[in-house]
């Protein structure tokens, strides 16, 4: 008997979520159906891997048919839309990352590709006859014509589970699968619309028009702290819901944004879907599937939410667009703000960038007409902006061994006496940033990084905030052996808390830092305590600057306003200005009580301090632009960094020198370095940096690819490419 001839199937290309430069060819068996975007299981070496059927491209060296391996299965999940596949390719090309590495970010929840299971329940059997007891009658009446779990039947009717089992034994009810409920309640666009001021209404109208246009456009929504920017852009979200499209809101610290989430639910009558790193695996699976099936109308997330499979994305909001938290520094290095603009273009969607202190890049785009620009210059409820003043630490220093100057102490005393709340801000976790031996001068350093270990006195440990290395606080110096000679140098928030407890023993205090407010539950409890006036004095790091609204907070004291200005970072002044302006904006947000901000500084004449005191953010940005323009520094030029690293110091140095010798030349191009990175040792790897600077009209990606191709580097050396770096460590 002749063996039937099996059809060969067709060739497809599958991109795998691995650091691979291209898709692989496979054969799709005739009994399987899959098109571009389908999720498939394929053999890879000796294992099975998940991948995505990718768009056909010209393959210069096609694999022979005889060598093709077959697709094993097609997953029962919605296909990845063409726009998301285009985003993966675009991000890979822009960041010089393998496409498979970018795809991995869009496939972060593989369990969501399985068919969702439905819960089992019971339904009534039509025409069945059996003895009906009073309890059985109650249960059948509760069930009616619905389908529900046995426990729910028993709960509603007030009978035992034995009665429900008796109904099943008598054939009066039968098991069935219950219909799958929607994962998220639908927000209602007109549930509780706010009353907007005239200027808010004009801004909201402008944003609504961008949503109604159903085409790509970017708008900068700029407004002073407390001006009601959130209410304005939520109005655009409401319009997106009316249009039946999905909306994505990116926040820099989604896990801590409890007040924002409460405001959203009051506005729309239902919470949004969430996406951040602290979600459980099950919640991520349900959320990913709901987004892919269009059942999550609004999602609020961290930067990784940008790669979720929205089928009809109509609006992207990037709140606090200036925040460096939107920059991913590991793996695929990208800026979520910039990629949000790209995704909006691919989706024919509106994109709104929101900030009280927008980045110079965004302001420049708005001034050039590439972005729309909507402003809110006034606070709501008639509140005025806080008065900002500097405390010159050269003239009015703290007492020896202290860190709060007398004018700041007096301001706190007066604020607490009026029954108001005060905040002390220091962007430094722990007790002290440096531990020093007073006998030999030894500084306790991380063994894996060029960084000092930070003392966390409450936990009795030293910790590196770069690699996470921890060690118990030693009794003796490791260099000279002298016991009890180690002393803390400089303050962290724990040390300020210690000083405050001595100065204001009656004040109820709360420390807000990433290690004391680790997640959503802790953030919600902290917000509740402050709002209900169970706290008099807040001591916080940068997390207190992001979006909090505390109506009774009238004084903000910045313990070390000069902290972010040290070093040669291109954006040090801009970032310090943004951070301190945002912190200052926490004060006096209610109209009845004016706010006050005191900056402790050794340089009150610094342009950042002068701009903060004068409330002149536009003037500061104008001066920054004037400094950067002649040298073609961003946003008037392009930057790309090469970070060369190895576990062997000499190997890293030789590789960096080799790259320097192969550096590109030409008009409008300059290479700076190589030089040891400021963090010359990080997580056990020795690091050197080179910086490519180019005029704005030059595409740096082809230049970088050619440069890297010409350099012969050993296998133990890693070169990380950072296009458009925001930091230089």
């Amino acid at each position: 008997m002749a063996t039937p001839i099996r059809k060969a199937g067709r060739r497809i290309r599958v991109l795998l979520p691995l650091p691979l430069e291209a898709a692989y060819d496979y054969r799709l068996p005739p009994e399987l159906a899959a098109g571009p975007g389908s999720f498939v299981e394929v053999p890879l070496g000796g294992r099975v891997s998940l991948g995505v059927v990718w768009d056909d491209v010209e393959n210069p060296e096609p694999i022979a048919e005889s060598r093709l391996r077959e697709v094993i299965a097609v997953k029962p999940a919605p296909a990845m839309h063409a726009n998301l596949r285009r985003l993966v390719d675009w991000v890979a090309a822009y960041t010089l990352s393998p496409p498979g590495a970018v795809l991995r970010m869009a496939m972060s929840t593989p369990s969501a590709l399985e068919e969702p299971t439905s819960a089992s329940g019971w339904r009534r059997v039509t025409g069945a006859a059996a003895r009906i007891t009073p309890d059985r009658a109650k249960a059948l009446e509760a069930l009616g014509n619905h389908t529900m779990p046995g426990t729910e039947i028993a709960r509603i009717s007030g009978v035992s589970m034995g009665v429900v089992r008796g109904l099943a034994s008598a054939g009066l009810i039968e098991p069935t699968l219950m219909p799958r409920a929607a994962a998220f309640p639908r927000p209602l666009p007109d549930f509780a619309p706010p009353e907007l001021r005239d200027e808010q209404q004009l801004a909201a109208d402008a944003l609504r028009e961008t949503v109604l246009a159903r085409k790509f456009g970017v708008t900068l929504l700029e407004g002073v702290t407390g001006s009601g920017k959130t209410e304005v852009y939520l109005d655009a979200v409401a319009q997106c819901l009316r249009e039946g499209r999905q909306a994505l809101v990116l926040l820099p610290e989604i896990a801590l944004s409890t007040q924002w989430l409460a405001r959203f639910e009051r506005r729309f009558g239902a919470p949004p879907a969430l996406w951040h790193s602290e979600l459980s695996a099950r919640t991520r699976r349900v959320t990913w599937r709901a987004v892919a099936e269009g059942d999550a109308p609004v999602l609020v997330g961290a930067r990784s939410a940008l790669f979720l499979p929205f089928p009809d994305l109509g609006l992207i909001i990037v709140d606090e667009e200036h925040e460096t938290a939107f920059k991913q520094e590991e793996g695929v290095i990208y800026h979520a703000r910039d990629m949000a603009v790209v995704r909006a273009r691919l989706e024919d969607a509106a994109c709104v960038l929101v900030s009280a202190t927008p980045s110079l890049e965004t302001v420049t785009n708005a001034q050039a007409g590439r972005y729309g620009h909507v402003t809110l210059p006034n606070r709501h409820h008639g509140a005025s902006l806080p008065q900002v003043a500097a405390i010159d630490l050269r003239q009015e220093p703290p007492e020896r061994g202290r860190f709060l100057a007398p004018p700041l102490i007096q301001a706190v005393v007066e604020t607490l006496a009026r029954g108001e709340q005060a905040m002390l801000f220091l962007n430094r976790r722990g007790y002290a940033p440096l531990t020093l031996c007073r006998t030999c001068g030894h500084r306790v350093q991380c063994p894996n990084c060029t960084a000092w270990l930070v003392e966390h006195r409450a936990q009795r440990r030293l910790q590196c905030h770069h690699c996470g290395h921890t060690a118990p606080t030693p009794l003796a110096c490791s260099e000279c052996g002298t016991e009890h000679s180690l002393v803390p140098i400089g303050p962290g928030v724990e040390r300020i808390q210690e000083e405050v407890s001595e100065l204001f023993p009656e004040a109820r205090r709360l420390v807000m830092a990433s290690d004391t407010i680790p997640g959503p539950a802790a953030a919600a409890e902290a917000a509740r305590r402050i709002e209900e006036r169970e706290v008099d004095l807040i001591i916080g790091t940068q997390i207190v600057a992001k979006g909090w609204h505390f109506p009774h907070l009238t004084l903000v004291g910045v313990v070390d306003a000069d902290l972010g200005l040290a070093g040669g970072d291109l954006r040090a002044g801009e970032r310090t200005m943004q951070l301190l302006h945002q912190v200052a904006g926490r004060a006096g947000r209610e109209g009845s009580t004016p706010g006050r901000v005191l900056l402790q500084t050794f340089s009150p004449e610094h342009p950042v301090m002068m701009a903060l005191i004068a409330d002149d953010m536009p003037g500061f940005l104008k001066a920054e632009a004037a400094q950067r323009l002649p040298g073609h520094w961003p946003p008037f030029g392009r930057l790309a960094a090469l970070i060369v690293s190895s576990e062997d110091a000499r190997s890293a140095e030789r590789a960096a020198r080799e790259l320097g010798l192969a550096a590109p030349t030409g008009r409008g191009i300059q290479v700076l370095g190589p030089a040891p990175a400021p963090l010359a040792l990080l997580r056990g790897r020795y690091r050197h940096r080179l910086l490519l600077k180019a005029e704005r009209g030059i595409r740096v990606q082809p230049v970088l690819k050619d440069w890297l191709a010409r350099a012969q580097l050993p296998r133990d050396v890693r070169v990380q490419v950072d296009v458009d770096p925001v930091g230089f460590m």
Side-chain angles (χ1 to χ4, degrees):
M1 184 175 177
T3 303
I5 299 174
R6 188 173 185 269
K7 291 183 180 179
R10 64 183 176 90
R11 180 191 296 257
I12 61 171
R13 295 180 62 74
V14 177
L15 186 62
L16 303 171
L18 301 168
L20 303 171
E21 293 293 341
Y24 286 178
D25 286 356
Y26 286 90
R27 182 188 299 114
L28 182 69
E31 64 270 19
L32 296 181
S38 295
F39 293 93
V40 293
E41 286 183 348
V42 294
L44 181 69
R47 60 191 177 94
V48 174
S49 179
L50 281 171
V52 178
V53 179
W54 218 243
D55 303 81
D56 290 333
V57 294
E58 193 65 33
N59 190 348
E61 297 180 7
I63 298 174
E65 289 287 338
S66 60
R67 295 180 56 197
L68 288 180
R69 304 181 73 181
E70 285 196 341
V71 173
I72 297 170
V74 179
K75 305 303 289 183
M80 180 180 287
H81 282 258
N83 291 340
L84 183 51
R85 301 198 303 274
R86 289 164 62 199
L87 179 70
V88 169
D89 285 335
W90 200 99
V91 172
Y94 190 84
T95 62
L96 267 62
S97 302
V102 182
L103 176 65
R104 186 173 184 176
M105 297 191 296
M107 291 182 62
S108 59
T109 312
S111 61
L113 303 178
E114 304 297 335
E115 187 72 52
T117 57
S118 296
S120 60
W122 298 94
R123 67 182 175 191
R124 194 163 184 171
V125 177
T126 305
R131 186 172 66 89
I132 304 293
T133 65
D135 280 352
R136 286 184 176 184
K138 289 180 185 178
L140 289 172
E141 183 181 359
L143 179 59
N145 294 321
H146 305 293
T147 300
M148 64 177 67
T151 53
E152 189 69 3
I153 297 171
R155 185 188 68 81
I156 294 174
S157 61
V159 302
S160 68
M161 278 300 296
V163 174
V164 177
R165 287 191 288 270
L167 288 172
S169 299
L172 293 169
I173 60 174
E174 62 182 0
T176 186
L177 292 178
M178 295 174 56
R180 194 156 53 95
F184 301 100
R186 190 167 191 84
L188 303 174
D190 301 305
F191 180 77
E195 292 186 12
L196 301 178
R197 305 187 319 274
D198 289 346
E199 63 183 29
Q200 283 182 304
Q201 191 63 59
L202 288 172
D205 291 344
L207 296 188
R208 271 205 312 274
E209 287 300 318
T210 66
V211 175
L212 284 166
R214 286 181 167 260
K215 64 181 182 180
F216 169 63
V218 184
T219 304
L220 166 61
L221 174 59
E222 181 182 3
V224 298
T225 53
S227 60
K229 297 184 294 295
T230 303
E231 285 83 357
V232 169
Y233 75 66
L234 287 182
D235 201 60
V237 171
Q239 187 60 49
C240 189
L241 290 171
R242 294 186 195 103
E243 295 294 302
R245 304 186 76 186
Q246 291 170 291
L248 167 63
V249 181
L250 296 178
L251 300 179
E253 294 284 352
I254 179 62
L256 301 177
S257 302
T258 54
Q259 288 186 324
W260 190 99
L261 295 171
R263 182 183 301 181
F264 183 96
E265 189 164 354
R266 287 195 301 270
R267 168 67 176 83
F268 294 104
L274 295 180
W275 189 264
H276 57 81
S277 59
E278 295 191 19
L279 297 177
S280 67
R282 180 187 178 280
T283 301
R284 291 175 72 87
R285 180 174 70 250
V286 170
T287 303
W288 191 98
R289 191 85 184 199
V291 169
E293 294 175 349
D295 291 334
V298 182
L299 183 130
V300 181
R303 59 178 181 250
S304 60
L306 196 60
F307 294 91
L308 287 172
F310 296 94
D312 189 14
L313 191 56
L315 174 66
I316 303 177
I317 306 283
V318 184
D319 203 350
E320 310 289 6
E321 65 84 29
H322 64 277
E323 276 285 348
T324 55
F326 285 123
K327 177 79 176 196
Q328 177 159 298
E329 302 280 7
E330 300 291 335
V332 178
I333 301 178
Y334 70 96
H335 201 303
R337 176 198 63 210
D338 301 337
M339 297 307 110
V341 172
V342 174
R343 178 145 200 196
R345 178 171 58 80
L346 295 173
E347 300 279 356
D348 279 331
C351 182
V352 182
L353 308 180
V354 186
S355 179
T357 55
S359 62
L360 183 55
E361 283 82 357
T362 297
V363 169
T364 302
N365 279 323
Q367 291 172 344
R370 288 185 286 269
Y371 295 171
H373 193 182
V374 178
T375 59
L376 296 172
N378 301 305
R379 282 186 158 184
H380 58 71
H381 301 313
S384 58
L385 291 169
Q387 292 184 337
V388 182
I391 298 173
D392 188 342
L393 295 178
R394 298 168 299 188
Q395 304 296 325
E396 299 180 279
E399 292 182 11
R400 184 177 178 84
R402 301 282 192 176
F403 300 96
L404 302 183
L408 180 54
I409 294 172
Q410 183 59 34
V412 173
V413 169
E414 294 169 357
T415 302
L416 298 182
R418 292 192 300 267
E420 298 162 6
Q421 293 171 321
M423 175 190 290
L424 296 176
F425 172 78
L426 176 62
N427 196 22
R428 195 183 268 151
R429 288 181 288 159
Y431 185 84
L434 169 65
T435 300
L436 176 75
C437 175
R438 63 180 143 203
T439 301
C440 70
H442 171 66
R443 301 179 178 193
V444 183
Q445 187 167 326
C446 175
N448 309 313
C449 305
T450 311
W452 302 326
L453 292 181
V454 176
E455 180 183 357
H456 288 256
R457 183 158 292 189
Q459 289 83 27
R460 298 181 181 179
R461 59 179 169 83
L462 302 176
Q463 180 177 349
C464 175
H465 288 169
H466 297 284
C467 72
H469 171 81
T470 60
T473 304
L475 294 175
C477 174
S478 61
E479 288 295 304
C480 67
T482 306
E483 292 189 355
H484 308 296
S485 65
L486 298 174
V487 293
I489 305 297
V493 286
E494 287 182 15
R495 197 167 192 182
I496 299 302
Q497 146 83 332
E498 183 179 85
E499 182 173 338
V500 163
S501 67
E502 296 176 12
L503 290 169
F504 315 106
E506 302 299 320
R508 297 165 297 177
R509 301 172 298 277
L510 174 67
V511 175
M512 294 184 70
S514 57
D515 41 9
T516 62
I517 308 289
E525 175 60 15
R528 183 199 64 78
R529 291 181 60 197
I530 295 169
E531 288 172 2
E532 296 182 8
R533 309 190 76 164
E534 295 177 10
V535 173
D536 302 312
L537 190 52
I538 306 158
I539 303 146
T541 63
Q542 64 178 345
I543 70 169
V544 301
K546 299 173 182 176
W548 300 98
H549 177 77
F550 300 133
H552 309 294
L553 178 66
T554 60
L555 174 69
V556 170
V558 179
V559 177
D560 186 355
D562 306 324
L563 184 58
L565 296 173
D569 193 323
L570 169 70
R571 296 183 177 87
E574 182 185 356
R575 279 209 293 263
T576 301
M577 176 72 182
Q578 289 163 339
L579 178 61
L580 296 185
H581 191 285
Q582 293 279 348
V583 171
R586 300 312 107 199
R589 294 170 70 94
E590 291 295 319
S592 57
T593 310
R596 186 181 179 196
V597 180
L598 296 176
L599 309 172
Q600 293 195 160
T601 173
F602 286 100
S603 305
E605 68 283 351
H606 192 284
V608 168
M609 304 305 154
M610 295 177 68
L612 285 164
I613 292 167
D615 187 29
D616 188 15
M617 184 75 180
F620 173 80
L621 289 178
K622 185 177 180 180
E624 278 283 300
Q627 287 184 339
R628 297 189 202 178
L629 181 60
H632 300 287
W633 295 101
F636 310 106
R638 305 294 310 281
L639 286 183
L642 298 186
I643 302 98
V644 183
S645 68
S646 172
E647 293 181 356
D648 180 73
R650 289 187 176 181
S651 186
E653 184 179 5
R654 282 195 301 268
R657 192 164 54 244
E658 179 74 21
L659 272 171
L661 293 172
T665 58
R667 185 175 178 179
I669 293 176
Q670 182 183 7
V671 173
L672 307 175
L679 278 173
L681 178 65
L682 180 65
R683 301 185 187 95
R685 299 186 69 86
Y686 295 89
R687 305 164 75 242
H688 292 256
R689 290 180 63 97
L690 299 98
L691 192 65
L692 172 72
K693 184 160 76 79
E695 294 182 8
R696 186 168 178 83
I698 296 174
R699 289 186 65 238
V700 298
Q701 286 81 3
V703 176
L704 290 167
K705 290 178 78 170
D706 178 68
W707 183 8
L708 292 169
R710 285 186 284 109
Q712 301 295 319
L713 302 178
R715 285 190 170 187
D716 66 327
V717 169
R718 182 189 306 158
V719 179
Q720 197 174 35
V721 180
D722 183 358
V723 178
D724 304 328
V726 298
F728 298 88
M729 297 303 287

